Amino acid sequence: MPTISINLKEGTIEKPQEVIAGIDLGTTNSLVAFMKDGQPVCVQDSAGKSTLVPSVVHFSGIGDVTVGDAAKEMLETDPANTIYSVKRLMGKSFRDVAGMKGYFGYQIIDDDTESLVKIRVKDRFYTPLELSALILKELKRRVESELNMEVSRAVITVPAYFNDNQRQATRDAGKLAGLDVLRIVNEPTAAALAYGIGNASQADKTDVETVAVYDLGGGTFDISILRIEDGIFEVLSTNGDTFLGGDDLDHVLIEHILGQLHLDGSALHADKAFGQQIRLFAENAKKILSERDLFEGTLKEKPVVVTRADFERLIRPLIQRTLDCCQNAMRDAGFTVDDIEKVIMVGGSTRVPAVKQAVAAFFRRPVFDSLNPDEVVALGAAVQADILAGNQQDLLLLDITPLSLGIETVGGLMDVIIPRNSKIPTRAGRQYTTSVDGQKNLKVSIFQGERDLVEHNRKLGEFILRGIPPMPAGLPKIDIRFVLNADGILLVQAKELRSNLEQQIEIRPTYGISEEEMGMMLLDSIQNAQTDMTVRGLLEARNEANNIMLGGEKFLKQNGDILSEEEQATTNALLKRLREAAEGQDKDIIHAAIEDLNTYTTPLAHRALDKTVREAMQGKKVL
Ligand code: ADP
Ligand code: MG
């Protein structure tokens, strides 16, 4: 509970203004910030040395848990019980991270490939969510001890590429840490806020600004294109790579250093402690090379020398990958570099001079780097918290969804309901119907991704709308509505409009089922666009053929009396040909068979209709 102070002189009770914390829950480092006298500030450690809390958790032999610098120091001596890079595992299944096994110094549990990753520490198993909660608890503790009051509400940032499951996992981690998470915010959006860009009191109101936020952290890379007008933020597009960051710069340096020591990668696996030691050694070398032209050190009692030129040559392909993402983000926003007015640098890895230079050269303008790149996101989160507290009503935030959301329709096709790069919050819906007479249940499977077939996309969840009153196929009107709230979390509602049957549906995303990595999914959809189109065409033709065959058979059954034997035989033969075509792989043959059947049966259908009308005129009932 926040403390209440009583003003004895005036006899009034003063409730202190409630503080909402802004939290950057990073892969490598986490920070907590709050608004102090109208300015965001990051909370420092007790020694007043650093605002960074390394996102590392250590479990001691007697059950003590430490988080931050003290835990990071245990990486070398107690790697099996020291957990880092948890954010990379958020909302992921074992299958998602199977290829990264060698990367972690601790044990990842492989109990069931579909289920969520768990981490084994001694004889206990932890989910990434629980481990993140431990980091969040430490941040909560820090801000509370700084302010000397309870802080129970927070805004937490996530990479723009986090999917719904990962956002939900982050939110749940906050809950577990005792925080009411008011909003999940994209990191690049927070960064722009930290620079005060778009703040109506500072900016020229009539100015439209286009800003690129380049965020190269320890584990993730994000590029976002923002448009800011009248104090309104809009994310036009996002792109990035959830597996590209300072860790990768360290890795190429580790390889290089191993080469100098005449060792290969197996040395790391054979001796885990050495693996961690060289990791820290390389990271330190990298940081020194951000300041100087030469690094000299000793490892395994041998000299190690790396020049900045060596380092820059090694990381050039990695930098190029970030620039490719920038290109994609601009293409998605419909822009070229000349349209971008400001470029903001975020993340510790943007301290590397070669990164800054490459980005400035790419965008052909000097970059914004006056704020501490480690703190920018947390500072922006505090500004966002302040907006939510109602203290900055001039600002409004819009975000976008990075991947399309939709449902599975007949034939395994993806029917997109909210396209990627839609502004959020948003709601969208569409009407569906049944495909079988008297159908009582409708399964709604929700997917995320850009491919035409749901099997290539990522399943978020499913539910069954039960108890549809029996009606002929095609008659029920089922409204399916997607509501994507401001946190980027999805709610799906289904309603049968004729009967008013409604189901309040909660998707419980099973974090990390058969997940494809975000960037891979986009790349995939581009590479497979041609095949997907062919497959979609075929499936749509088959669906149409099935509907027509059903109708055709019904027609033959109901109108046997007005058709000659020859007409019945020909119709049957054409139906058979269509059935065979539908089993084949060529959509053009299917379309041709549909056309032939239609051409032949249209006059017959007219005759049947005439008969129905005649009967109606004679007072007989229709149908
Ligand atoms: P994250 O957002 O992923 O938690 P940060 O923004 O805190 O990451 O960035 C951490 C990364 O920045 C680490 O890989 C770290 O080595 C790198 N880094 C920090 N300082 C420097 C520096 N001076 N030069 C180069 N890299 C740095
Ligand atoms: Mg970061």
Side-chain angles (χ1 to χ4, degrees):
M1 286 290 287
T3 46
I4 288 174
S5 52
I6 300 171
N7 185 330
L8 292 174
K9 246 191 215 158
E10 294 174 12
T12 52
I13 295 173
E14 291 169 1
K15 259 171 71 186
Q17 229 189 338
E18 204 201 341
V19 169
I20 304 174
I23 292 176
D24 172 7
L25 181 61
T27 312
T28 321
N29 298 301
S30 298
L31 301 92
V32 58
F34 65 96
M35 275 318 235
K36 189 178 182 180
D37 306 324
Q39 285 297 321
V41 288
C42 286
V43 177
Q44 296 188 328
D45 57 18
S46 50
K49 268 169 60 192
S50 170
T51 53
L52 298 180
V53 180
S55 305
V56 184
V57 183
H58 176 255
F59 297 86
S60 83
I62 53 165
D64 287 341
V65 179
T66 45
V67 173
D69 283 309
K72 193 174 173 181
E73 277 167 23
M74 306 306 289
L75 277 172
E76 280 184 53
T77 49
D78 193 14
N81 300 312
T82 312
I83 317 300
Y84 59 92
S85 273
V86 158
K87 191 173 174 181
R88 283 180 181 266
L89 302 174
M90 281 294 259
K92 305 236 168 196
S93 70
F94 181 76
R95 187 182 290 161
D96 294 329
V97 297
M100 313 169 55
K101 246 175 159 179
Y103 170 84
F104 298 99
Y106 45 88
Q107 198 184 353
I108 294 180
I109 297 306
D110 172 15
D111 48 357
D112 171 346
T113 54
E114 280 283 309
S115 72
L116 278 185
V117 165
K118 284 203 182 80
I119 293 146
R120 179 176 179 162
V121 185
K122 301 187 178 39
D123 52 3
R124 272 208 58 184
F125 302 99
Y126 294 90
T127 60
L129 189 157
E130 290 171 300
L131 295 163
S132 294
L134 292 172
I135 298 167
L136 290 169
K137 253 189 204 154
E138 170 63 18
L139 297 170
K140 180 176 181 328
R141 195 193 60 72
R142 283 196 188 202
V143 66
E144 286 178 339
S145 91
E146 168 90 13
L147 292 169
N148 206 12
M149 64 190 256
E150 190 188 342
V151 176
S152 60
R153 302 204 287 171
V155 165
I156 304 179
T157 59
V158 295
Y161 262 70
F162 258 27
N163 62 35
D164 293 335
N165 289 347
Q166 292 167 304
R167 282 165 200 265
Q168 189 62 50
T170 304
R171 175 176 279 272
D172 289 348
K175 216 181 283 170
L176 196 58
L179 288 167
D180 178 10
V181 182
L182 300 184
R183 187 170 291 191
I184 299 288
V185 185
N186 284 337
E187 288 160 10
T189 301
L193 280 175
Y195 270 98
I197 293 173
N199 193 328
S201 60
Q202 291 170 21
D204 179 352
K205 278 208 160 200
T206 54
D207 242 20
V208 179
E209 285 186 293
T210 311
V211 179
V213 181
Y214 179 103
D215 180 350
L216 190 60
T220 56
F221 171 64
D222 275 305
I223 173 76
S224 295
I225 311 293
L226 311 180
R227 182 177 187 274
I228 300 149
E229 185 177 13
D230 287 344
I232 297 177
F233 283 61
E234 190 180 343
V235 184
L236 296 179
S237 72
T238 68
N239 209 287
D241 191 328
T242 48
F243 285 87
L244 182 56
D247 294 349
D248 302 287
L249 305 188
D250 297 347
H251 280 151
V252 292
L253 206 47
I254 289 170
E255 301 275 314
H256 184 72
I257 294 170
L258 282 175
Q260 278 195 10
L261 299 176
H262 303 291
L263 292 169
D264 62 24
S266 60
L268 305 183
H269 300 297
D271 182 352
K272 288 249 163 72
F274 174 63
Q276 301 292 9
Q277 190 189 357
I278 194 169
R279 227 168 66 88
L280 295 178
F281 184 87
E283 186 186 1
N284 184 44
K286 172 185 74 176
K287 288 182 182 170
I288 287 174
L289 288 170
S290 290
E291 309 298 324
R292 294 187 230 137
D293 287 338
L294 183 69
F295 167 82
E296 287 173 297
T298 326
L299 189 63
K300 289 220 160 187
E301 287 154 21
K302 285 185 190 144
V304 174
V305 179
V306 188
T307 66
R308 187 187 272 183
D310 286 338
F311 180 57
E312 291 183 353
R313 180 176 42 79
L314 291 168
I315 65 172
R316 197 170 299 139
L318 296 170
I319 298 177
Q320 186 53 47
R321 274 169 63 195
T322 69
L323 299 180
D324 293 344
C325 291
C326 294
Q327 194 63 56
N328 291 339
M330 282 193 300
R331 187 203 57 211
D332 282 352
F335 283 159
T336 66
V337 283
D338 296 329
D339 299 314
I340 309 290
E341 290 155 300
K342 288 177 177 163
V343 182
I344 301 175
M345 300 302 268
V346 180
S349 301
T350 61
R351 288 219 174 85
V352 174
V355 170
K356 258 187 229 186
Q357 285 154 13
V359 176
F362 178 85
F363 285 101
R364 287 188 251 150
R365 67 191 62 247
V367 294
F368 276 56
D369 58 357
S370 62
L371 288 176
N372 181 336
D374 301 320
E375 293 186 355
V376 178
V377 169
L379 296 174
V383 173
Q384 165 76 80
D386 206 41
I387 297 168
L388 291 178
N391 297 335
Q392 296 199 18
Q393 282 162 359
D394 288 343
L395 285 174
L396 189 69
L397 288 175
L398 292 176
D399 264 330
I400 58 152
T401 171
L403 288 173
S404 302
L405 296 162
I407 66 166
E408 175 176 0
T409 57
V410 194
L413 283 174
M414 170 91 173
D415 201 15
V416 171
I417 295 189
I418 298 180
R420 78 184 275 256
N421 284 344
S422 296
K423 288 170 203 160
I424 55 174
T426 186
R427 48 178 64 227
R430 196 162 298 163
Q431 272 188 17
Y432 295 88
T433 188
T434 51
S435 54
V436 179
D437 286 344
Q439 188 174 329
K440 285 195 203 125
N441 299 331
L442 184 83
K443 183 153 104 180
V444 181
S445 302
I446 299 118
F447 286 84
Q448 180 177 45
E450 309 311 312
R451 300 285 302 273
D452 271 353
L453 287 180
V454 293
E455 66 179 274
H456 296 132
N457 288 331
R458 180 167 184 283
K459 190 170 188 170
L460 292 177
E462 69 180 22
F463 64 85
I464 295 172
L465 180 68
R466 290 178 200 280
I468 302 168
M471 281 182 254
L475 223 52
K477 284 189 177 167
I478 298 158
D479 196 38
I480 296 189
R481 203 140 276 281
F482 276 38
V483 181
L484 194 57
N485 71 16
D487 302 330
I489 289 169
L490 180 69
L491 280 162
V492 177
Q493 300 165 326
K495 185 175 181 180
E496 202 290 300
L497 299 177
R498 291 178 189 275
S499 60
N500 265 337
L501 172 74
E502 193 177 344
Q503 212 147 296
Q504 204 44 53
I505 288 100
E506 217 190 281
I507 307 186
R508 295 176 207 283
T510 35
Y511 307 118
I513 40 160
S514 63
E515 183 187 346
E516 298 231 13
E517 211 262 305
M518 289 284 119
M520 282 302 294
M521 285 173 81
L522 288 177
L523 194 68
D524 243 34
S525 72
I526 295 165
Q527 285 170 346
N528 293 292
Q530 188 59 43
T531 338
D532 276 8
M533 250 164 62
T534 316
V535 174
R536 179 178 274 274
L538 178 62
L539 286 175
E540 279 172 353
R542 276 188 190 153
N543 287 342
E544 194 185 343
N546 282 333
N547 287 336
I548 286 178
M549 285 188 291
L550 276 177
E553 278 152 14
K554 226 179 190 170
F555 175 77
L556 279 181
K557 222 183 267 166
Q558 286 171 354
N559 298 292
D561 53 336
I562 58 156
L563 300 177
S564 72
E565 256 175 47
E566 194 203 324
E567 283 165 346
Q568 293 194 30
T570 309
T571 307
N572 266 322
L574 286 168
L575 277 169
K576 182 160 174 270
R577 219 185 93 205
L578 179 56
R579 190 166 306 114
E580 281 160 9
E583 279 159 11
Q585 304 295 322
D586 191 335
K587 76 172 194 322
D588 294 336
I589 294 181
I590 301 176
H591 283 306
I594 289 173
E595 176 117 14
D596 288 350
L597 181 69
N598 276 341
T599 314
Y600 184 75
T601 53
T602 303
L604 307 186
H606 282 184
R607 201 193 307 154
L609 195 67
D610 287 348
K611 179 190 133 207
T612 314
V613 172
R614 250 193 336 269
E615 284 173 356
M617 306 275 272
Q618 287 162 8
K620 286 190 183 169
K621 80 172 177 44
V622 184
L623 293 176

